[in-house]
Structure formats: C-alpha cells, structure tokens
Amino acid sequence: MFDSKLYLRAAEELRENKGQWDAYNSTGNCVVLAGPGSGKTKTLTIKLARMLAEDVEEPRGLACITYNNECARELETRLDVLGVQQDRRVFIGTVHSFSLTQIVLPYAKGANLGLPDDFAIANQQQQEQVLGKAFSKVYGGGNPAPFKFDMNTYRRSILNRESKDWYGINEKLAKLAEAYEAGLRDRGLIDFEDMPLLAVRALRDHEWIQRALLAKFPILAVDEYQDLGRALHRMVLGLCFTTGMRLFAVGDVDQSIYGFNGAYPELLEQLSKRPDVETIPLQMNYRCGSKIVAASEFALGAGRGYQARQGAPEGQVYFHPLQGAHAARADHFFASIFPQIQARNPSLRLGDIAFLYPTAKIGNAVADAARARGLGIIRTDTNAIYPRSSRVMRWLEQCALWCAGGWQKGTPRFSLMSAEGLRLFSEAIVGSEREAEFQQGLVSMLWSRRNPDMKLHQWLTGCRQEFLNDLFDRCRMLKDEQAILDSFSARVSDDGDTSEMTLGLFAGVGEGTSRLVLSTLHSAKGREFSIVVLFGMDAGEMPRFNQTQKQLLEARRLFYVGLTRAKSEVHMVYSGAAPSSFVREIQDRL
C-alpha cells in the first residue's frame, strides 16, 4: 500500500502538457514517443504509480523493463518519492534481469530448457575458455576474440534458429554459436546473452508460462524501447498482444544509438503504428535552450516539431575550430576557452559541465589536460576506474554516500539501499528471516564506518570482511560483479594507482562535487548538464569514414543525443582542417 495522494498531487503537474496528460490517462496499450528533455521519466513514474494504485489489485503487480541498471535505479528513486516502496509486486530491471529472475530461474525445469538445477552464470574467464574450444572446433584454430562480438550479435539477431536465415546468412557464425552454447551447457553454465534467448524460447514453447506471468504482472511497462532489441520485442508481442497483458512503452526512435548491440529502432516504429496501440508524442523540451533545440533538429536532419518551454533561455552553440592533435586542442581549450565559460557562469559547479567524445581514447587527451590544471574529473567511459554498468559498484556508491554524511540528511534513504541490496543478493537471501538479518547486517556494517575522510580501501576491506564476502560466496550469479570489485579494491589499495581515494571522493561528496564529467557520447545518454563540450567532432570520428547508410544514420542520432544533453551552452571542438559534416550543417543553418 502507498499514499495515493502523493501521485495524485504529482499528476497535477502533467495537466499543462497535453501529451503527458494523455499518457497519464491512457487505459489500453500505449506507446509514448518522448523526445529529449520531454519529461518522459516523470510521466512514466507517475503513470506507474497510478496503475499500481488504480488498475492492479494486490497481490498482482507490474513489471517495468529498462535499458540498464542506472535507468532502473532512477525509476526506483522517483517512485520512492511518490511513496511506492519496492516489494514483490513490482519488478524494475533490465531485460536480462527480467528474463533470468522471472522466467529462466523459476521455470527452467518445467520448460525443459536443458539446464541443471544448480546452473550458474559464466564469468569472463569461463566464457573465454569455452569460446576457445568452440572456435577451434569450427574454424580449426586461431584467435577467437575478434569473433565474439559478431557471434553474440548473430545470436541476438536471429531468434528462430529453425529458419533458413540461421545457417543461410553466416553458417560459420551459426555453428560457432551452437558449439559455444553447447560448451557452456556441458559445464552447467549460461551467459549474459543466453538470458533473453532462453526466456523467449520458454515463452514461445509454453503457453502456461505466459499465463503465469500474466497472473503476476497484468501490466508490462518498457522504458527506452528503441534500445532493447528483438528478444524484448518478441516477448512484448507474445505477452501483450496474445495473452492480454497491458503495455505501456516509452521510447524515441531518434535516440536509438545501440545498433551495434542489437537495437532496431524500426521495432518501436512498428509497435507505434499498430491499430491496437494508442501512440502519444511528447514534443516539449524542458531541458534545452531554444537555440539548442533548433540546432538539435538541424543535427538530426529532420523536423520533429520540438519546442523549448515558454520562457526558456535562448541557450548558445559555440564553434571552436582548433589546430593540432587532440592533446593540443584540449590544452588550448582549458587555457583559453574554459576560463571564459567559468566567467560567464561563476556559480556553476564543475560537475555541471560534461565533455563528450566519440571514443575513450579521445577522452584521454581531455583527462590529461584537465589534470594538468588541477581540475578533478570523473570518467564514465571504458577508461573509468570501474564499469559504470556494475550493479554492485553503483550500490556501494550509495552506501558510501550514506556513510559520508547522507545518513544525517536521509540521502539516500536507507530503505532504498536496503531494497537494492536485497535484489542484488537475492540468491542468498530467501525468506523474511534472512531479509531481516540482511537489513541488520547492513546497518551494522555502515554505522561503524561513517567517515568521509576514511581511506576507501579501508572502508571496502572492512565492509567485505564483516558482511559482503559471505553474501558473494552464496551468490553464483554475481561472480563477474565480484571480479569487478576485486579489481577495484586492488586499484585503491596501498599499492594501487588510486591509493589516495577517500570514501567521500568515491561517494561524490566534498571534493567529489567539483569534478568535470568525461564521457563517451554513448555513455552520456539519459543524462543532462548545464554545459556540454562536444570534443573531437572531426571528419572520420563523427561520423567515421566508409560507413553504411544505416551506420551513418545512427552516427547522426548519436551526435543528436550528445547535443541534447545541454541546458544552456554547447561547445563544439573540432579540427579546423577537417570538421565533422554534422558540425558544418549546423553552423551553416544557424
């Protein structure tokens, strides 16, 4: 149960926006096409709260599938503000998590998926070993590493292996995938890609599993639909247009930037055009200044009718053609242009400024130039100190924030930390008695370590020895996460390259609030900043040379996503000799 007055009061804020209000009042299958800064997360969370309160009777609930764990955490936080506590009625998580926890784990045996009762998730080392043997069998030897990405893309792309396409498009890749999966099964393992594939197979072959899911979740919500691929789309078609499960989906074809990872924006287009789906556009951009909104449509190369909110500042787009390699351009930017940005925005924190670039390698030049001037940075690309996608590391960040002073302010709320921990270690925590033990252990672990100046390695070591190691030992599904934590712990140890990191810096408080954000364009999706610097906007980098038409369209969307992260200023930094064609288009039209 929750306080319905909270979501009803929040819903009043949607009345002024026709699209948001129509989405809130939708009663059947609904697709919301939400442009950048259009308030889609706000609309989605208030709608979720309403559906739980008005449309679903306990003990039934709803499931909300998101693109990544960071999206899931954002939804959970916003729902908590609306008084919706995370419990067994509500699932919020990735398509992989949904597939594993709601379909594969409970129904693997009954669905004859060929998995032992004690199957586990293969870690990286196990995957590499199995792939090596499979590669030798199919290709006769050599280095399998370059083939792994293509193999996994192939697995995601062709769901029906009885079709002629499975062997017809690339027989060698098909046989490699089969040999690899057989090798995993021989060891009682599945991998990350297996989760939605096995779930689709179980749903396709067993109508009773579809009915069981409908009984538990009469409503399925999907966030960032355009990024979730064929497996999720197949689940939606089966569950929502066969069994009668109600669909509420949110997405934007123009922000589809993960084609290399199996995303197909046309799937959202197909869904939105179904006669049994109400499609609602959100076209008001509450984030960007009016000039940035105009520039974004030029970047996209198509008019979408997006508008800046009434009274929004104009915003500015600056062009900086610079000479030399990336390092020289970064040095020049921080020496000459960055002081001007700070002078125009004297109250702006460094954390409100983001440098976005096509590849992490380009980010190295920005990082070096920033450090040379004593500026703190936080990287969210592949050269980050740990993967931002790690669920355990993000949860530990929240725990650190609580210990670094959050306990005094109630930020983050202990109930949210506890709920996230229960989900992380759910394999080891079964039953109300174990849940109570976990909550007591978490309080004990954190209460005695409330010191933002404590060395991070000391904090981590104490937490692991007192509480976390035992949980990891009992969770076969978290072996990769444990390996990430082991690697990070080594880096912050006395012999590591970041041994001076404190708990406060890790939590992002104190000196941690004064750090520039450095990110690839892909990793910046879903975020917003006052000022965005698009660095390395050169021909050959954005877009790359010799791309197909489909790849060029995705590169354009990626550029568009980066541009629309900014509220007030966008700075485009590029080679004066070879600027990106996207930059030239905007410059000409503005």
Side-chain angles (χ1 to χ4, degrees), residues 180-195:
Y180 169 72
E181 290 172 355
L184 289 177
R185 300 301 179 269
D186 288 343
R187 297 187 179 201
L189 300 170
I190 67 172
D191 71 355
F192 192 68
E193 299 296 340
D194 273 319
M195 296 174 190

Side-chain angles (χ1 to χ4, degrees), residues 109-371:
K109 191 170 184 177
N112 299 316
L113 294 180
L115 302 176
D117 292 341
D118 59 347
F119 75 89
I121 310 300
N123 60 34
Q124 282 298 121
Q125 183 180 19
Q126 290 169 326
Q127 291 177 41
E128 290 168 4
Q129 291 172 350
V130 172
L131 180 60
K133 291 183 178 180
F135 191 79
S136 294
K137 179 180 178 181
V138 175
Y139 286 86
N143 179 15
F147 290 78
K148 184 176 182 180
F149 179 85
D150 290 340
M151 178 191 71
N152 284 334
T153 300
Y154 203 75
R155 294 166 72 195
R156 287 190 296 264
S157 301
I158 306 173
L159 300 184
N160 182 7
R161 297 189 179 180
E162 296 176 1
S163 73
K164 62 180 181 180
D165 286 346
W166 178 244
Y167 289 117
I169 294 177
N170 192 320
E171 185 176 359
K172 279 285 187 74
L173 275 184
K175 290 183 175 180
L176 178 62
E178 291 174 348
Y180 169 72
E181 290 172 355
L184 289 177
R185 300 301 179 269
D186 288 343
R187 297 187 179 201
L189 300 170
I190 67 172
D191 71 355
F192 192 68
E193 299 296 340
D194 273 319
M195 296 174 190
L197 298 179
L198 289 168
V200 166
R201 176 180 149 195
L203 290 171
R204 180 194 65 203
D205 295 345
H206 302 282
E207 186 182 344
W208 62 270
I209 299 179
Q210 298 178 30
R211 293 198 301 270
L213 282 176
L214 175 64
K216 187 175 183 180
F217 300 126
I219 296 175
L220 175 65
V222 183
D223 189 19
E224 303 287 4
Y225 195 100
Q226 76 282 350
D227 293 330
L228 290 164
R230 292 191 187 277
L232 183 278
H233 188 65
R234 186 66 58 85
M235 288 186 209
V236 166
L237 295 181
L239 291 171
C240 299
F241 301 102
T242 302
T243 68
M245 188 180 286
R246 176 178 162 193
L247 175 68
F248 187 85
V250 180
D252 181 10
V253 172
D254 293 331
Q255 295 186 73
S256 179
I257 58 174
Y258 297 106
F260 63 89
N261 207 29
Y264 296 88
E266 56 268 26
L267 299 179
L268 177 58
E269 287 184 306
Q270 294 169 12
L271 188 68
S272 67
K273 293 176 181 177
R274 288 180 63 105
D276 49 358
V277 168
E278 180 183 9
T279 299
I280 300 170
L282 300 184
Q283 295 182 298
M284 182 68 70
N285 186 324
Y286 292 94
R287 175 190 303 149
C288 305
S290 56
K291 184 172 284 189
I292 298 173
V293 172
S296 71
E297 293 208 331
F298 299 152
L300 196 58
R304 293 289 188 259
Y306 293 133
Q307 301 174 344
R309 61 179 173 81
Q310 189 173 8
E314 183 181 41
Q316 292 295 329
V317 180
Y318 297 88
F319 299 89
H320 305 290
L322 301 179
Q323 303 304 314
H326 292 127
R329 283 184 249 165
D331 286 337
H332 178 86
F333 189 91
F334 281 108
S336 302
I337 302 169
F338 193 72
Q340 298 172 21
I341 295 174
Q342 290 181 304
R344 280 194 304 272
N345 306 275
S347 62
L348 203 63
R349 300 185 312 169
L350 291 183
D352 293 322
I353 304 172
F355 286 74
L356 311 182
Y357 33 79
T359 65
K361 183 178 180 180
I362 295 175
N364 293 339
V366 179
D368 291 342
R371 291 193 190 100

Side-chain angles (χ1 to χ4, degrees), residues 485-526:
L485 180 55
D486 289 341
S487 176
F488 179 69
S489 296
R491 294 191 67 176
V492 298
S493 69
D494 290 341
D495 299 326
D497 59 349
T498 51
S499 59
E500 297 304 312
M501 182 173 282
T502 63
L503 180 66
L505 183 59
F506 176 64
V509 301
E511 58 180 312
T513 60
S514 298
R515 292 187 288 172
L516 297 168
V517 177
L518 274 59
S519 171
T520 58
L521 288 160
H522 282 98
S523 296
K525 187 170 181 293

Side-chain angles (χ1 to χ4, degrees), residues 6-209:
L6 291 173
Y7 87 82
L8 290 173
R9 284 197 294 267
E12 289 300 311
E13 300 174 12
L14 305 181
R15 282 185 182 273
E16 299 302 315
N17 183 305
K18 183 180 185 303
Q20 292 179 350
W21 189 245
D22 287 347
Y24 176 72
N25 286 305
S26 63
T27 56
N29 295 321
C30 180
V31 170
V32 179
L33 300 177
S38 60
K40 66 101 175 170
T41 305
K42 175 181 178 180
T43 304
L44 174 59
T45 49
I46 297 173
K47 179 65 172 178
L48 290 175
R50 181 181 191 177
M51 291 190 293
L52 272 172
E54 301 179 18
D55 301 337
V56 182
E57 291 188 13
E58 294 190 51
R60 303 175 83 191
L62 61 79
C64 181
I65 294 176
T66 66
Y67 178 69
N68 58 31
N69 293 309
E70 194 165 350
C71 293
R73 183 175 291 105
E74 173 70 11
L75 288 175
E76 290 168 353
T77 301
R78 294 198 184 204
L79 283 170
D80 186 69
V81 172
L82 296 176
V84 180
Q85 302 298 316
Q86 300 303 299
D87 57 26
R88 299 185 188 279
R89 289 186 68 208
V90 183
F91 171 89
I92 300 177
T94 65
V95 66
H96 295 85
S97 177
F98 179 80
S99 299
L100 180 66
T101 63
Q102 305 301 316
I103 302 174
V104 178
L105 279 173
Y107 304 122
K109 191 170 184 177
N112 299 316
L113 294 180
L115 302 176
D117 292 341
D118 59 347
F119 75 89
I121 310 300
N123 60 34
Q124 282 298 121
Q125 183 180 19
Q126 290 169 326
Q127 291 177 41
E128 290 168 4
Q129 291 172 350
V130 172
L131 180 60
K133 291 183 178 180
F135 191 79
S136 294
K137 179 180 178 181
V138 175
Y139 286 86
N143 179 15
F147 290 78
K148 184 176 182 180
F149 179 85
D150 290 340
M151 178 191 71
N152 284 334
T153 300
Y154 203 75
R155 294 166 72 195
R156 287 190 296 264
S157 301
I158 306 173
L159 300 184
N160 182 7
R161 297 189 179 180
E162 296 176 1
S163 73
K164 62 180 181 180
D165 286 346
W166 178 244
Y167 289 117
I169 294 177
N170 192 320
E171 185 176 359
K172 279 285 187 74
L173 275 184
K175 290 183 175 180
L176 178 62
E178 291 174 348
Y180 169 72
E181 290 172 355
L184 289 177
R185 300 301 179 269
D186 288 343
R187 297 187 179 201
L189 300 170
I190 67 172
D191 71 355
F192 192 68
E193 299 296 340
D194 273 319
M195 296 174 190
L197 298 179
L198 289 168
V200 166
R201 176 180 149 195
L203 290 171
R204 180 194 65 203
D205 295 345
H206 302 282
E207 186 182 344
W208 62 270
I209 299 179

